[in-house]
Short mmCIF file of all heavy atoms in Angstrom, two decimals:
data_model
loop_
_atom_site.label_atom_id
_atom_site.label_comp_id
_atom_site.label_asym_id
_atom_site.label_seq_id
_atom_site.Cartn_x
_atom_site.Cartn_y
_atom_site.Cartn_z
N ARG Y 1287 -15.18 22.41 12.95
CA ARG Y 1287 -14.24 23.22 13.73
C ARG Y 1287 -13.55 24.25 12.82
O ARG Y 1287 -13.35 25.40 13.22
CB ARG Y 1287 -13.21 22.30 14.38
CG ARG Y 1287 -12.27 22.99 15.29
CD ARG Y 1287 -11.38 22.01 15.99
NE ARG Y 1287 -10.47 22.71 16.86
CZ ARG Y 1287 -9.51 22.15 17.52
NH1 ARG Y 1287 -9.33 20.85 17.44
NH2 ARG Y 1287 -8.71 22.84 18.28
N SER Y 1288 -13.18 23.84 11.60
CA SER Y 1288 -12.57 24.79 10.66
C SER Y 1288 -13.54 25.91 10.33
O SER Y 1288 -13.16 27.08 10.26
CB SER Y 1288 -12.15 24.08 9.37
OG SER Y 1288 -11.09 23.20 9.61
N VAL Y 1289 -14.80 25.57 10.13
CA VAL Y 1289 -15.80 26.58 9.80
C VAL Y 1289 -15.97 27.56 10.95
O VAL Y 1289 -16.07 28.78 10.73
CB VAL Y 1289 -17.15 25.93 9.41
CG1 VAL Y 1289 -18.21 27.00 9.15
CG2 VAL Y 1289 -16.99 25.03 8.20
N TYR Y 1290 -15.98 27.07 12.20
CA TYR Y 1290 -16.07 27.97 13.35
C TYR Y 1290 -14.89 28.95 13.36
O TYR Y 1290 -15.06 30.14 13.61
CB TYR Y 1290 -16.08 27.18 14.66
CG TYR Y 1290 -17.37 26.47 14.97
CD1 TYR Y 1290 -17.36 25.19 15.51
CD2 TYR Y 1290 -18.61 27.06 14.73
CE1 TYR Y 1290 -18.54 24.53 15.81
CE2 TYR Y 1290 -19.79 26.41 15.02
CZ TYR Y 1290 -19.75 25.14 15.55
OH TYR Y 1290 -20.92 24.49 15.85
N ARG Y 1291 -13.70 28.43 13.08
CA ARG Y 1291 -12.51 29.28 13.06
C ARG Y 1291 -12.62 30.33 11.94
O ARG Y 1291 -12.34 31.50 12.14
CB ARG Y 1291 -11.27 28.41 12.88
CG ARG Y 1291 -9.98 29.13 13.11
CD ARG Y 1291 -8.76 28.20 13.12
NE ARG Y 1291 -8.68 27.36 11.94
CZ ARG Y 1291 -8.88 26.03 11.93
NH1 ARG Y 1291 -9.14 25.40 13.05
NH2 ARG Y 1291 -8.80 25.34 10.81
N TRP Y 1292 -13.08 29.90 10.75
CA TRP Y 1292 -13.25 30.82 9.62
C TRP Y 1292 -14.30 31.89 9.94
O TRP Y 1292 -14.13 33.06 9.61
CB TRP Y 1292 -13.66 30.09 8.36
CG TRP Y 1292 -12.66 29.11 7.84
CD1 TRP Y 1292 -11.34 29.01 8.15
CD2 TRP Y 1292 -12.92 28.07 6.90
NE1 TRP Y 1292 -10.76 27.98 7.47
CE2 TRP Y 1292 -11.71 27.38 6.69
CE3 TRP Y 1292 -14.05 27.64 6.22
CZ2 TRP Y 1292 -11.61 26.30 5.81
CZ3 TRP Y 1292 -13.95 26.57 5.36
CH2 TRP Y 1292 -12.74 25.91 5.15
N ARG Y 1293 -15.37 31.45 10.59
CA ARG Y 1293 -16.46 32.39 10.91
C ARG Y 1293 -15.95 33.48 11.87
O ARG Y 1293 -16.25 34.66 11.71
CB ARG Y 1293 -17.65 31.65 11.52
CG ARG Y 1293 -18.93 32.47 11.58
CD ARG Y 1293 -20.09 31.69 12.19
NE ARG Y 1293 -20.58 30.58 11.40
CZ ARG Y 1293 -21.50 30.68 10.43
NH1 ARG Y 1293 -22.00 31.85 10.13
NH2 ARG Y 1293 -21.90 29.61 9.79
N ALA Y 1294 -15.15 33.07 12.86
CA ALA Y 1294 -14.58 34.04 13.81
C ALA Y 1294 -13.63 35.00 13.08
O ALA Y 1294 -13.66 36.22 13.33
CB ALA Y 1294 -13.84 33.31 14.93
N ASP Y 1295 -12.81 34.46 12.16
CA ASP Y 1295 -11.91 35.31 11.38
C ASP Y 1295 -12.72 36.30 10.53
O ASP Y 1295 -12.36 37.47 10.43
CB ASP Y 1295 -11.01 34.47 10.47
CG ASP Y 1295 -9.97 33.67 11.22
OD1 ASP Y 1295 -9.73 33.96 12.41
OD2 ASP Y 1295 -9.40 32.73 10.62
N PHE Y 1296 -13.79 35.81 9.94
CA PHE Y 1296 -14.64 36.65 9.08
C PHE Y 1296 -15.27 37.78 9.90
O PHE Y 1296 -15.31 38.92 9.44
CB PHE Y 1296 -15.73 35.79 8.43
CG PHE Y 1296 -16.65 36.56 7.53
CD1 PHE Y 1296 -16.21 37.04 6.30
CD2 PHE Y 1296 -17.96 36.80 7.90
CE1 PHE Y 1296 -17.06 37.74 5.47
CE2 PHE Y 1296 -18.82 37.51 7.08
CZ PHE Y 1296 -18.36 37.98 5.85
N LYS Y 1297 -15.72 37.48 11.12
CA LYS Y 1297 -16.32 38.52 11.97
C LYS Y 1297 -15.29 39.58 12.34
O LYS Y 1297 -15.63 40.77 12.43
CB LYS Y 1297 -16.90 37.89 13.24
CG LYS Y 1297 -18.20 37.18 13.01
CD LYS Y 1297 -18.74 36.58 14.31
CE LYS Y 1297 -20.03 35.82 14.03
NZ LYS Y 1297 -20.54 35.17 15.26
N ARG Y 1298 -14.05 39.15 12.56
CA ARG Y 1298 -12.99 40.10 12.95
C ARG Y 1298 -12.47 40.92 11.76
O ARG Y 1298 -12.22 42.11 11.89
CB ARG Y 1298 -11.81 39.37 13.59
CG ARG Y 1298 -12.02 39.03 15.03
CD ARG Y 1298 -10.71 38.58 15.68
NE ARG Y 1298 -10.15 37.39 15.05
CZ ARG Y 1298 -10.44 36.13 15.38
NH1 ARG Y 1298 -11.29 35.90 16.36
NH2 ARG Y 1298 -9.88 35.12 14.77
N GLY Y 1299 -12.30 40.28 10.60
CA GLY Y 1299 -11.62 40.98 9.51
C GLY Y 1299 -12.28 40.94 8.15
O GLY Y 1299 -11.67 41.34 7.16
N GLY Y 1300 -13.50 40.42 8.07
CA GLY Y 1300 -14.19 40.37 6.78
C GLY Y 1300 -13.58 39.36 5.82
O GLY Y 1300 -12.84 38.46 6.22
N THR Y 1301 -13.88 39.54 4.55
CA THR Y 1301 -13.44 38.60 3.52
C THR Y 1301 -11.92 38.51 3.46
O THR Y 1301 -11.36 37.43 3.22
CB THR Y 1301 -14.00 39.02 2.15
OG1 THR Y 1301 -15.42 39.13 2.25
CG2 THR Y 1301 -13.68 38.00 1.08
N ALA Y 1302 -11.22 39.62 3.68
CA ALA Y 1302 -9.76 39.63 3.62
C ALA Y 1302 -9.15 38.67 4.65
O ALA Y 1302 -8.09 38.09 4.41
CB ALA Y 1302 -9.24 41.05 3.84
N ALA Y 1303 -9.81 38.49 5.78
CA ALA Y 1303 -9.30 37.61 6.82
C ALA Y 1303 -9.37 36.14 6.42
O ALA Y 1303 -8.71 35.29 7.02
CB ALA Y 1303 -10.07 37.83 8.12
N LEU Y 1304 -10.15 35.84 5.38
CA LEU Y 1304 -10.29 34.46 4.92
C LEU Y 1304 -9.31 34.10 3.82
O LEU Y 1304 -9.25 32.95 3.39
CB LEU Y 1304 -11.72 34.21 4.42
CG LEU Y 1304 -12.83 34.39 5.45
CD1 LEU Y 1304 -14.18 34.17 4.80
CD2 LEU Y 1304 -12.63 33.43 6.62
N ALA Y 1305 -8.50 35.06 3.37
CA ALA Y 1305 -7.54 34.80 2.30
C ALA Y 1305 -6.51 33.77 2.76
O ALA Y 1305 -6.09 33.76 3.92
CB ALA Y 1305 -6.85 36.09 1.89
N SER Y 1306 -6.10 32.93 1.86
CA SER Y 1306 -5.11 31.89 2.16
C SER Y 1306 -3.78 32.52 2.55
O SER Y 1306 -3.34 33.51 1.94
CB SER Y 1306 -4.91 30.99 0.95
OG SER Y 1306 -3.85 30.08 1.20
N ARG Y 1307 -3.15 31.95 3.54
CA ARG Y 1307 -1.84 32.41 3.96
C ARG Y 1307 -0.75 31.48 3.44
O ARG Y 1307 0.38 31.51 3.90
CB ARG Y 1307 -1.78 32.48 5.49
CG ARG Y 1307 -2.70 33.56 6.05
CD ARG Y 1307 -2.80 33.45 7.57
NE ARG Y 1307 -3.82 34.33 8.12
CZ ARG Y 1307 -5.10 34.01 8.25
NH1 ARG Y 1307 -5.52 32.84 7.85
NH2 ARG Y 1307 -5.94 34.86 8.77
#
Side-chain angles (χ1 to χ4, degrees):
R1287 185 174 180 186
S1288 292
V1289 177
Y1290 286 140
R1291 191 172 53 250
W1292 297 343
R1293 194 180 292 274
D1295 290 345
F1296 180 72
K1297 284 180 182 177
R1298 279 192 299 272
T1301 305
L1304 299 178
S1306 174
R1307 293 171 188 87

